[in-house]
């Protein structure tokens, strides 16, 4: 789930290649004085020794840079003695310049390595915190197999405005997928509110409408509690799809709060059906209901679950609008139903990986929004 940045990839490669990285500079330090001995007196290559130190600083630490620098200075002194020109003004200027460059590069590599250690510690703490908020889904939950993919629109972030969670209760598996308005790091607080509310109530043996009503109350309180004074409360909301998958019935119960409809895939017939609920609820946090809605009888009176077939071998594709609204260079939306139908016979893990890779290829690697997907398969 965690995407390594280009900088992190280069850093890892540089660390693994450090022993080989020193081969080139050492060959330069040996070759330049030797070549100097065979060249005419008016051609002098010793000033190129600084290249060996600079190359070392790119791929090695301060100790190796200092060692190569000392060898480069020794090679320059050797070349000057060989030509009997060590005390000339030209060689003394080259020697002073080489010493200055070596000192600067050693200081540079020392500061760079210290900064990398600080960033590594900060990244470790950040990754641990983000994994606590967005916990990985289990591979199995009762009679269903789960697989997920997540990509944040923020570089080097593993969580943003999209969210998902799963919980087991006796006789059923509960799933949540949602999308906080906004994207990237600023939306993490709202993501934590929704996930915290779901985890606090999902394990209880309460009906699905009451569970959604509990999450709605928590979201409204959280959005109001942590809102900035200049923010408009109506502009903060969360779309979500909450579902129950019974162990002993080939169905799925779904409540949609303004979220894109899941896709039901049937591998044998290679068909994709959008599970559009007849009575969708407004997004969480808005508390906007039709005038004829009566939500006073019970906490979940306004939330009406829809029931759809979900038989052995079927797969559900849950997603956020970062997938369905991803665009290519021509501005066309990603054809999720078409692509998912083509790969409907794949297992959940390969299917969700194939879809995520296809979205990245379709957009040219540019994600303008967070992206989350879950594939759920009912097993025997």
């Amino acid at each position: 789930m965690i995407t390594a940045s280009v900088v992190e990839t280069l850093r890892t490669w540089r660390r693994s290649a450090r022993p080989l990285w020193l081969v080139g500079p050492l060959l330069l330090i040996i070759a330049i004085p030797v070549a100097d001995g065979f060249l005419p007196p008016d051609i002098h290559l010793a000033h190129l020794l600084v290249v060996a130190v600079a190359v070392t600083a790119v791929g090695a630490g301060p100790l190796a840079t200092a060692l190569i620098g000392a060898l480069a200075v020794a090679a320059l002194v050797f070349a000057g003695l060989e030509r009997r020109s060590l005390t000339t003004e030209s060689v003394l200027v080259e020697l002073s310049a080489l010493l200055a460059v070596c000192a600067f590069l050693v200081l540079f590599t020392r500061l760079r390595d210290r900064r990398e250690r600080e960033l590594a510690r900060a990244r470790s703490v950040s990754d641990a915190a983000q994994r606590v908020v967005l916990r990985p889904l289990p591979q199995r939950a009762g009679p269903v197999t789960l697989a997920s993919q997540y990509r944040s629109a923020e570089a080097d972030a593993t969580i943003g405005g999209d969210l998902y969670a799963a919980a087991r209760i006796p006789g059923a598996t509960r799933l949540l997928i949602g999308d906080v308005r906004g994207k990237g790091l600023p939306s993490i607080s709202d993501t934590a509110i929704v996930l915290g509310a779901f985890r606090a109530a999902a394990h209880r043996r309460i009906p699905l409408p009451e569970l959604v009503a509990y999450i709605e109350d928590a979201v409204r309180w959280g959005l109001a509690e942590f809102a900035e004074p200049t923010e408009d409360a109506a502009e903060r909301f969360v779309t979500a799809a909450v579902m129950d998958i019974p162990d002993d019935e080939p169905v799925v119960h779904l409540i949609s709060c303004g979220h894109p409809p899941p896709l039901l895939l049937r591998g044998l017939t290679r068909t994709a059906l959008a599970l559009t609920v007849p009575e969708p609820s407004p997004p969480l946090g808005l508390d906007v209901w039709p005038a004829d809605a009566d939500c006073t009888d019970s906490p979940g009176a306004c939330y009406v679950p829809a029931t759809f077939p979900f038989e052995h071998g079927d797969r559900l594709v849950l997603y956020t609008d970062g997938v369905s609204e991803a665009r290519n260079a021509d501005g066309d939306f990603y054809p999720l139903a078409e692509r998912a139908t083509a790969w409907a016979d794949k297992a959940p893990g390969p299917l969700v990986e194939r879809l995520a890779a296809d979205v990245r290829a379709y957009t040219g690697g540019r994600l303008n929004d967070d992206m989350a997907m879950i594939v759920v398969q009912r097993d025997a």
Side-chain angles (χ1 to χ4, degrees):
M1 188 172 63
I2 299 176
T3 57
S5 66
V6 174
V7 174
E8 184 65 27
T9 302
L10 290 175
R11 185 181 301 131
T12 303
W13 175 78
R14 191 181 70 234
R15 287 174 179 169
S16 62
R18 273 183 178 176
L20 296 175
W21 197 273
L22 300 179
V23 173
L26 287 173
L27 291 176
L28 275 176
I29 290 173
I30 296 172
I32 288 175
V34 172
D36 246 7
F38 294 96
L39 293 174
D42 57 334
I43 299 178
H44 194 41
L45 299 179
H47 59 278
L48 295 178
L49 288 167
V50 70
V51 175
V53 188
V55 170
T56 304
V58 172
L63 184 60
T65 303
L67 175 61
I68 294 298
L71 292 175
V73 170
L76 180 57
V77 171
F78 175 79
L81 291 174
E82 185 181 31
R83 287 173 169 255
R84 295 187 178 92
S85 59
L86 181 59
T87 57
T88 62
E89 182 178 353
S90 175
V91 175
L92 290 176
V93 169
E94 289 179 0
L95 187 59
S96 301
L98 181 59
L99 287 169
V101 170
C102 289
F104 170 77
L105 290 176
V106 169
L107 177 62
F108 165 77
T109 53
R110 182 178 179 83
L111 294 176
R112 182 198 62 198
D113 284 6
R114 184 172 68 181
R115 179 63 174 166
E116 286 183 357
R117 289 193 296 269
E118 292 173 353
L119 288 175
R121 287 194 296 268
R123 179 66 181 272
S124 176
V125 173
S126 173
D127 287 349
Q130 292 178 24
R131 282 194 296 270
V132 170
V133 176
L134 189 68
R135 300 172 190 168
L137 295 181
Q139 292 184 353
R140 286 194 61 82
V144 298
T145 301
L146 304 172
S148 62
Q149 283 282 318
Y150 194 103
R151 294 291 184 273
S152 174
E154 293 279 354
D156 297 328
T158 57
I159 185 174
D162 289 359
L163 56 100
Y164 50 64
R168 279 290 296 169
I169 61 172
T173 299
R174 284 181 165 169
L175 291 172
L176 163 72
I177 188 166
D179 185 358
V180 174
R181 183 187 180 275
K183 62 183 179 181
L185 297 177
S187 58
I188 291 181
S189 61
D190 297 347
T191 299
I193 292 170
V194 179
L195 290 174
F198 176 80
R199 289 169 183 149
H203 66 280
R204 301 177 184 174
R205 300 184 184 182
I206 58 176
L208 192 62
E210 292 184 21
L211 170 63
V212 179
Y214 178 89
I215 299 173
E216 163 70 20
D217 288 341
V219 169
R220 271 191 293 159
W221 172 85
L223 295 182
E225 182 75 10
F226 298 103
E228 296 292 336
T230 58
E231 285 183 325
D232 184 356
E235 294 182 356
R236 299 181 68 192
F237 56 86
V238 183
T239 67
V242 189
M243 61 197 68
D244 262 347
I245 303 176
D247 294 350
D248 55 357
E249 293 181 74
V251 297
V252 56
H253 306 296
L254 170 65
I255 293 178
S256 176
C257 300
H259 200 75
L263 290 178
L264 177 64
L265 303 180
R266 299 189 183 276
L268 295 179
T269 58
R270 285 184 176 270
T271 58
L273 173 67
L275 303 186
T276 304
V277 300
E279 299 182 58
S281 305
L284 302 173
L286 285 184
D287 196 25
V288 178
W289 295 94
D292 57 348
D294 184 9
C295 304
T296 59
D297 294 340
S298 66
C302 280
Y303 295 100
V304 181
T307 301
F308 300 93
F310 186 42
E311 301 176 354
H312 167 60
D314 289 349
R315 296 166 182 80
L316 281 174
V317 180
L318 317 178
Y319 57 93
T320 59
D321 59 10
V323 178
S324 57
E325 296 181 4
R327 297 174 183 265
N328 61 9
D330 297 328
D332 300 324
F333 287 125
Y334 178 71
L336 176 61
E338 175 186 328
R339 303 296 174 87
T341 303
W343 304 317
D345 57 342
K346 290 185 176 295
L351 175 58
V352 75
E353 290 175 3
R354 185 69 179 268
L355 287 172
D358 193 51
V359 171
R360 290 195 298 272
Y362 188 82
T363 61
R366 301 179 305 274
L367 286 182
N368 296 321
D369 197 0
D370 302 321
M371 178 185 77
M373 277 189 292
I374 307 174
V375 174
V376 188
Q377 175 178 291
R378 179 181 286 278
D379 299 322

